[in-house]
Amino acid sequence: MLDISLLGDEVLREPTERVTVFDSTLSILVDAMFDTMDEADGVGLAAPQVGVSKRIFVVDTRQEGGRIAFINPEIVETSEERSHYEEGCLSVPGIYKDVIRPAAVTVQAQDVTGRAFTIKATGLLARVVQHENDHLYGKLFIDRLPDEEREKVLRQWERRSKGRGKRKK
Ligand code: NI
């Protein structure tokens, strides 16, 4: 199992690099990411969350066809229609907030072998893809909250981290 970085860890804010080599090292990493996501009971996990600054994320919406690894993903189209959804993040445990995003997206990516694919995602998959894709740009869901609400979340996180006494710098 891989360690999951938490809010405050620099790696969550760093830019990511494209994957250029599709070898066994990549598939081992992706398998470990799936295992880590499953163990943490998450629906998505991006490489920066396990300390790897690469353009990779995995999702599992627990629906048919919803367990997918995305390598070098690009969101190429977003719907005008927006939707609300209460999001959480394995890197910001215990915080759940309503976030507004496009209801549907088209995403192009490669699989672990380098084969290109395109998915038109709606519902939960569209939501998770956008959340995980944000991680590849150093962005967290709390960054998408109104300023006042984000400040509140950060204060709440700060207090809780002090209480736990295990905030990593
Ligand atoms: Ni997240």
PDB file of all heavy atoms in Angstrom, residues 4-13 167-169:
ATOM      1  N   ILE A   4      -0.650   8.012   1.463  1.00  0.00           N
ATOM      2  CA  ILE A   4      -1.427   9.070   0.825  1.00  0.00           C
ATOM      3  C   ILE A   4      -1.019  10.425   1.398  1.00  0.00           C
ATOM      4  O   ILE A   4      -1.036  10.631   2.612  1.00  0.00           O
ATOM      5  CB  ILE A   4      -2.937   8.827   1.006  1.00  0.00           C
ATOM      6  CG1 ILE A   4      -3.330   7.511   0.311  1.00  0.00           C
ATOM      7  CG2 ILE A   4      -3.743  10.002   0.465  1.00  0.00           C
ATOM      8  CD1 ILE A   4      -4.789   7.128   0.457  1.00  0.00           C
ATOM      9  N   SER A   5      -0.621  11.336   0.498  1.00  0.00           N
ATOM     10  CA  SER A   5      -0.237  12.687   0.905  1.00  0.00           C
ATOM     11  C   SER A   5      -1.465  13.445   1.381  1.00  0.00           C
ATOM     12  O   SER A   5      -2.564  13.253   0.868  1.00  0.00           O
ATOM     13  CB  SER A   5       0.378  13.440  -0.273  1.00  0.00           C
ATOM     14  OG  SER A   5       1.472  12.722  -0.773  1.00  0.00           O
ATOM     15  N   LEU A   6      -1.254  14.321   2.368  1.00  0.00           N
ATOM     16  CA  LEU A   6      -2.360  15.103   2.923  1.00  0.00           C
ATOM     17  C   LEU A   6      -2.197  16.579   2.604  1.00  0.00           C
ATOM     18  O   LEU A   6      -1.086  17.055   2.322  1.00  0.00           O
ATOM     19  CB  LEU A   6      -2.422  14.913   4.449  1.00  0.00           C
ATOM     20  CG  LEU A   6      -2.711  13.491   4.947  1.00  0.00           C
ATOM     21  CD1 LEU A   6      -2.683  13.465   6.469  1.00  0.00           C
ATOM     22  CD2 LEU A   6      -4.036  12.969   4.420  1.00  0.00           C
ATOM     23  N   LEU A   7      -3.324  17.292   2.652  1.00  0.00           N
ATOM     24  CA  LEU A   7      -3.320  18.743   2.476  1.00  0.00           C
ATOM     25  C   LEU A   7      -2.181  19.347   3.298  1.00  0.00           C
ATOM     26  O   LEU A   7      -2.052  19.052   4.484  1.00  0.00           O
ATOM     27  CB  LEU A   7      -4.668  19.317   2.941  1.00  0.00           C
ATOM     28  CG  LEU A   7      -4.820  20.837   2.931  1.00  0.00           C
ATOM     29  CD1 LEU A   7      -4.679  21.393   1.525  1.00  0.00           C
ATOM     30  CD2 LEU A   7      -6.162  21.235   3.533  1.00  0.00           C
ATOM     31  N   GLY A   8      -1.348  20.169   2.659  1.00  0.00           N
ATOM     32  CA  GLY A   8      -0.173  20.724   3.324  1.00  0.00           C
ATOM     33  C   GLY A   8       1.100  20.120   2.752  1.00  0.00           C
ATOM     34  O   GLY A   8       2.164  20.738   2.812  1.00  0.00           O
ATOM     35  N   ASP A   9       0.997  18.921   2.172  1.00  0.00           N
ATOM     36  CA  ASP A   9       2.161  18.298   1.534  1.00  0.00           C
ATOM     37  C   ASP A   9       2.398  18.967   0.175  1.00  0.00           C
ATOM     38  O   ASP A   9       1.474  19.083  -0.641  1.00  0.00           O
ATOM     39  CB  ASP A   9       1.926  16.803   1.320  1.00  0.00           C
ATOM     40  CG  ASP A   9       1.960  16.014   2.624  1.00  0.00           C
ATOM     41  OD1 ASP A   9       2.387  16.606   3.643  1.00  0.00           O
ATOM     42  OD2 ASP A   9       1.576  14.836   2.624  1.00  0.00           O
ATOM     43  N   GLU A  10       3.634  19.393  -0.048  1.00  0.00           N
ATOM     44  CA  GLU A  10       3.999  20.126  -1.269  1.00  0.00           C
ATOM     45  C   GLU A  10       3.641  19.384  -2.559  1.00  0.00           C
ATOM     46  O   GLU A  10       3.231  19.982  -3.553  1.00  0.00           O
ATOM     47  CB  GLU A  10       5.507  20.430  -1.269  1.00  0.00           C
ATOM     48  CG  GLU A  10       5.872  21.694  -0.518  1.00  0.00           C
ATOM     49  CD  GLU A  10       5.096  22.904  -1.020  1.00  0.00           C
ATOM     50  OE1 GLU A  10       5.091  23.146  -2.242  1.00  0.00           O
ATOM     51  OE2 GLU A  10       4.474  23.595  -0.181  1.00  0.00           O
ATOM     52  N   VAL A  11       3.820  18.055  -2.523  1.00  0.00           N
ATOM     53  CA  VAL A  11       3.647  17.279  -3.756  1.00  0.00           C
ATOM     54  C   VAL A  11       2.246  17.439  -4.345  1.00  0.00           C
ATOM     55  O   VAL A  11       2.058  17.342  -5.561  1.00  0.00           O
ATOM     56  CB  VAL A  11       3.983  15.786  -3.513  1.00  0.00           C
ATOM     57  CG1 VAL A  11       2.946  15.122  -2.614  1.00  0.00           C
ATOM     58  CG2 VAL A  11       4.133  15.026  -4.828  1.00  0.00           C
ATOM     59  N   LEU A  12       1.266  17.750  -3.505  1.00  0.00           N
ATOM     60  CA  LEU A  12      -0.103  17.927  -3.995  1.00  0.00           C
ATOM     61  C   LEU A  12      -0.242  19.195  -4.841  1.00  0.00           C
ATOM     62  O   LEU A  12      -1.234  19.363  -5.549  1.00  0.00           O
ATOM     63  CB  LEU A  12      -1.092  17.995  -2.823  1.00  0.00           C
ATOM     64  CG  LEU A  12      -1.284  16.702  -2.035  1.00  0.00           C
ATOM     65  CD1 LEU A  12      -2.184  16.959  -0.837  1.00  0.00           C
ATOM     66  CD2 LEU A  12      -1.878  15.612  -2.924  1.00  0.00           C
ATOM     67  N   ARG A  13       0.734  20.088  -4.717  1.00  0.00           N
ATOM     68  CA  ARG A  13       0.659  21.376  -5.417  1.00  0.00           C
ATOM     69  C   ARG A  13       1.633  21.469  -6.582  1.00  0.00           C
ATOM     70  O   ARG A  13       1.665  22.472  -7.290  1.00  0.00           O
ATOM     71  CB  ARG A  13       0.950  22.513  -4.425  1.00  0.00           C
ATOM     72  CG  ARG A  13      -0.039  22.590  -3.254  1.00  0.00           C
ATOM     73  CD  ARG A  13      -1.442  22.697  -3.761  1.00  0.00           C
ATOM     74  NE  ARG A  13      -2.401  23.112  -2.732  1.00  0.00           N
ATOM     75  CZ  ARG A  13      -3.691  23.347  -3.009  1.00  0.00           C
ATOM     76  NH1 ARG A  13      -4.157  23.192  -4.235  1.00  0.00           N
ATOM     77  NH2 ARG A  13      -4.512  23.703  -2.051  1.00  0.00           N
ATOM     78  N   ARG A 167       0.515  16.687  11.361  1.00  0.00           N
ATOM     79  CA  ARG A 167       0.522  17.342  10.073  1.00  0.00           C
ATOM     80  C   ARG A 167       1.927  17.359   9.509  1.00  0.00           C
ATOM     81  O   ARG A 167       2.864  17.804  10.158  1.00  0.00           O
ATOM     82  CB  ARG A 167       0.005  18.772  10.199  1.00  0.00           C
ATOM     83  CG  ARG A 167      -0.129  19.430   8.841  1.00  0.00           C
ATOM     84  CD  ARG A 167      -0.630  20.830   8.958  1.00  0.00           C
ATOM     85  NE  ARG A 167      -0.747  21.380   7.608  1.00  0.00           N
ATOM     86  CZ  ARG A 167      -0.737  22.650   7.358  1.00  0.00           C
ATOM     87  NH1 ARG A 167      -0.636  23.513   8.332  1.00  0.00           N
ATOM     88  NH2 ARG A 167      -0.847  23.087   6.129  1.00  0.00           N
ATOM     89  N   LYS A 168       2.062  16.856   8.294  1.00  0.00           N
ATOM     90  CA  LYS A 168       3.384  16.819   7.659  1.00  0.00           C
ATOM     91  C   LYS A 168       3.621  18.139   6.955  1.00  0.00           C
ATOM     92  O   LYS A 168       2.748  18.691   6.346  1.00  0.00           O
ATOM     93  CB  LYS A 168       3.470  15.657   6.666  1.00  0.00           C
ATOM     94  CG  LYS A 168       3.493  14.315   7.364  1.00  0.00           C
ATOM     95  CD  LYS A 168       3.676  13.196   6.365  1.00  0.00           C
ATOM     96  CE  LYS A 168       2.350  12.705   5.826  1.00  0.00           C
ATOM     97  NZ  LYS A 168       2.489  11.686   4.801  1.00  0.00           N
ATOM     98  N   LYS A 169       4.842  18.627   7.019  1.00  0.00           N
ATOM     99  CA  LYS A 169       5.140  19.895   6.356  1.00  0.00           C
ATOM    100  C   LYS A 169       5.879  19.647   5.068  1.00  0.00           C
ATOM    101  O   LYS A 169       6.638  18.719   4.959  1.00  0.00           O
ATOM    102  CB  LYS A 169       6.006  20.766   7.279  1.00  0.00           C
ATOM    103  CG  LYS A 169       5.168  21.550   8.271  1.00  0.00           C
ATOM    104  CD  LYS A 169       4.676  22.883   7.675  1.00  0.00           C
ATOM    105  CE  LYS A 169       3.384  23.378   8.289  1.00  0.00           C
ATOM    106  NZ  LYS A 169       3.509  23.795   9.658  1.00  0.00           N
TER     107      LYS A 169
END
